[in-house]
Amino acid sequence: EKLTDEALTQLCFFGLGAHRLYRARTLSSPTEVVDSGDFVVRTNFLADLPVREGLDSYGGDAYFDETTWRIKKIVRKLPRQQPWESEELTYRPGDPEWEYVKFVFRSSLFSLVTLVDHLFAVHMQVGNACVLASRQYLGPDHPVRRFLAPFQFKTISVNDNARNNLINPQSMGPRNFAFTDKGTDLAWSVASEYTPSGAELRAVFGDDQASYLRLVLDYGAYVEFLKKHGGVDTPYRRQTLQLWNIMKNFVNSFLSQYYPTAEELARDSEVRCFVYTLLHELAFTTTNGLVPDPAENVRDCSAEELWQLTSNLLTRYCYLVTAGHEQVGTVPVYAQDVSFCAFHWPKGESCGTKQTAITSATLMSFTSTPMPLLMAEEGSEGDWTHLFEGPVTVNGEPVGEAGAVPPAVKKAWVVFQAELKAMAAECDDFNNKALSADAQFPHCFGMWQTHPSHLETSVSV
């Protein structure tokens, strides 16, 4: 039953909050190890953003037992009345207001993921940055631009619609959230400070920008760091790591066809400009700089370092618009019942209003545009290897036979699809075991957001 305490474990370990689950004790240095203590999903940083009169504020940090993964408490921060004041209230299972506080937390997480992780990070930040960089510096016949084509399918029109209908003042998005106009402006201004998946470690690494940059771009290294130093090793992280490795193998196999050595890639001025511009967009379009100044990481980097940057950037983008978007953007299942969670709700009521239900349903129907599937059979309608037909242009020179896909590139795509199919079978096995009659809590919940057969190649609104 979705309103139970057990369902909160499902939401935070296997569902919408799985990518925001950390140990409660935060790291203070990159060499520190935190391998014990409660788990937590935090939303309290939303508490100080002003909301419209009659509506309750967002917020709540949910703490889970490190062994049983059962909810232990929710600590709710109250909105500041004065800048120097800060008050938090702790609620535990069985408390009179427990069900209401759980509703507030679920609704806060739902709103946070929609605004920050989905609209800002996936669409407006990374999605825009990669499309801009590829259009500006990669020619239409450049192999890297050809490679990105399915992962950028309709991204420009999708993001244009998102800006007009979900972000602009008085549009569908601001009308759904509880924020005042000032609150909405503040939410957008601080969004970059609360993006997950590496950005939260900026202060931990301090002046070691190279190591921090690697964790932000190399999701595999980030997951391994979380496991070794942060004490987070969940089924969600394991499946996402498996998918990341499959995608990175595909990226490297593709690049190797056109750049047999790192030195040959380094001689490609289009690639170098693309990487520099993409990093520049990520560094200077946010208040805290998602990545360090690219002048220190691209202009004078070695050929091998440039290869790693290019490989990680391409893989990170492809992962983000497929599995990343599935995690944070495919949320109609959560929005269909405003007694489970709501974008806004009257203070003290554990349910959104009828108007909230209608506006949420309208937003969800607007944001459910289907995109091409990531998995496809060779020779089928979904086979997108025709994008790789020659000739392509590398360093100003044509490469490949006209109208033919290079055999090595075709093989890379076929291997990629085979690995996705194998992972899909493993995901099916995981879900079958989790949903079997003898499955024990907490390992009794399925996961579909990393299942390759459900993933699309590019972002939809």
Side-chain angles (χ1 to χ4, degrees):
E1 211 282 320
K2 61 186 178 184
L3 300 183
T4 62
D5 291 0
E6 289 77 12
L8 207 56
T9 296
Q10 179 184 18
L11 182 71
C12 293
F13 282 80
F14 300 89
L16 188 63
H19 66 292
R20 284 188 166 272
L21 183 81
Y22 303 101
R23 293 283 184 174
R25 184 164 69 88
T26 57
L27 293 170
S28 58
S29 76
T31 57
E32 184 182 6
V33 175
V34 176
D35 56 3
S36 62
D38 294 342
F39 292 100
V40 65
V41 174
R42 304 181 189 275
T43 71
N44 265 335
F45 44 82
L46 297 174
D48 289 325
L49 300 177
V51 298
R52 300 194 296 275
E53 185 177 356
L55 303 179
D56 206 351
S57 59
Y58 298 109
D61 292 349
Y63 290 79
F64 298 85
D65 185 87
E66 64 173 318
T67 304
T68 66
W69 293 5
R70 290 186 180 276
I71 183 70
K72 292 178 64 176
K73 63 182 179 180
I74 295 177
V75 178
R76 189 180 180 198
K77 181 180 178 181
L78 301 182
R80 297 174 188 264
Q81 301 302 315
Q82 300 292 340
W84 56 86
E85 295 179 352
S86 181
E87 182 180 3
E88 293 181 345
L89 298 178
T90 299
Y91 302 87
R92 302 181 188 278
D95 286 350
E97 296 184 42
W98 179 241
E99 293 303 320
Y100 177 68
V101 173
K102 283 197 300 180
F103 171 78
V104 171
F105 169 76
R106 291 193 302 264
S107 299
S108 299
L109 177 63
F110 177 57
S111 301
L112 168 66
V113 170
T114 299
L115 179 71
V116 175
D117 305 347
H118 181 204
L119 281 175
F120 173 76
V122 175
H123 286 275
M124 297 297 105
Q125 188 185 52
V126 180
N128 271 352
C130 192
V131 170
L132 283 171
S134 63
R135 289 296 183 98
Q136 286 177 319
Y137 291 104
L138 299 177
D141 292 328
H142 194 281
V144 173
R145 182 161 167 182
R146 293 276 193 92
F147 177 85
L148 286 171
F151 300 99
Q152 294 183 340
F153 181 68
K154 290 191 175 181
T155 296
I156 293 175
S157 60
V158 163
N159 283 355
D160 182 54
N161 285 333
R163 179 200 63 187
N164 292 333
N165 296 289
L166 301 179
I167 295 174
N168 281 348
Q170 302 302 313
S171 65
M172 198 182 309
R175 287 177 182 272
N176 267 278
F177 295 115
F179 302 122
T180 62
D181 290 344
K182 180 181 179 181
T184 301
D185 291 342
L186 288 171
W188 286 119
S189 68
V190 301
S192 63
E193 299 179 26
Y194 298 108
T195 54
S197 299
E200 76 279 1
L201 297 173
R202 184 69 186 264
V204 174
F205 281 86
D207 295 331
D208 188 1
Q209 294 191 9
S211 297
Y212 167 72
L213 180 64
R214 177 170 178 257
L215 283 191
V216 171
L217 300 183
D218 187 343
Y219 182 76
Y222 171 70
V223 172
E224 294 294 348
F225 180 86
L226 281 185
K227 179 180 178 180
K228 180 179 179 181
H229 295 274
V232 178
D233 182 24
T234 59
Y236 172 77
R237 291 297 184 189
R238 292 180 215 130
Q239 286 194 10
T240 57
L241 177 60
Q242 182 180 1
L243 183 61
W244 165 270
N245 289 332
I246 291 172
M247 288 188 166
K248 192 165 185 178
N249 288 339
F250 180 41
V251 169
N252 286 335
S253 296
F254 182 88
L255 289 177
S256 297
Q257 167 64 22
Y258 300 101
Y259 308 99
T261 66
E263 286 71 23
E264 291 188 48
L265 178 71
R267 286 195 292 270
D268 191 326
S269 59
E270 291 181 70
V271 168
R272 188 175 285 273
C273 287
F274 165 74
V275 171
Y276 180 87
T277 302
L278 180 50
L279 290 175
H280 183 277
E281 289 286 332
L282 297 178
F284 297 111
T285 57
T286 60
T287 55
N288 63 339
L290 176 63
V291 299
D293 184 350
E296 301 178 15
N297 296 286
V298 179
R299 288 176 180 170
D300 301 320
C301 69
S302 67
E304 184 58 38
E305 289 170 336
L306 180 63
W307 178 283
Q308 291 301 325
L309 274 175
T310 305
S311 172
N312 284 329
L313 275 170
L314 292 176
T315 310
R316 195 74 172 95
Y317 179 79
C318 294
Y319 172 84
L320 191 66
V321 300
T322 55
H325 188 267
E326 184 74 15
Q327 167 69 11
V328 303
T330 309
V331 295
V333 65
Y334 300 107
Q336 64 185 353
D337 182 358
V338 291
S339 69
F340 177 72
C341 66
F343 283 123
H344 67 265
W345 64 97
K347 186 178 296 186
E349 296 186 17
S350 302
C351 186
T353 64
K354 291 180 180 179
Q355 181 185 15
T356 305
I358 293 171
T359 56
S360 298
T362 303
L363 188 149
M364 290 302 127
S365 64
F366 176 79
T367 60
S368 302
T369 309
M371 292 293 169
L373 292 175
L374 184 65
M375 285 183 62
E377 294 291 336
E378 183 179 2
S380 69
E381 185 179 5
D383 184 338
W384 30 276
T385 53
H386 62 278
L387 295 168
F388 309 141
E389 292 178 356
V392 296
T393 304
V394 179
N395 281 322
E397 297 294 330
V399 175
E401 182 182 346
V405 179
V409 174
K410 184 74 171 183
K411 180 181 178 181
W413 186 85
V414 170
V415 170
F416 175 59
Q417 292 296 326
E419 291 179 343
L420 289 177
K421 188 174 182 178
M423 180 178 174
E426 292 181 29
C427 289
D428 285 335
D429 183 58
F430 175 90
N431 290 334
N432 289 335
K433 290 179 179 178
L435 301 178
S436 64
D438 58 348
Q440 300 295 312
F441 182 90
H443 302 289
C444 54
F445 304 111
M447 287 192 301
W448 289 266
Q449 65 269 49
T450 52
H451 196 303
S453 66
H454 297 302
L455 301 182
E456 297 174 328
T457 60
S458 58
V459 295
S460 59
V461 180

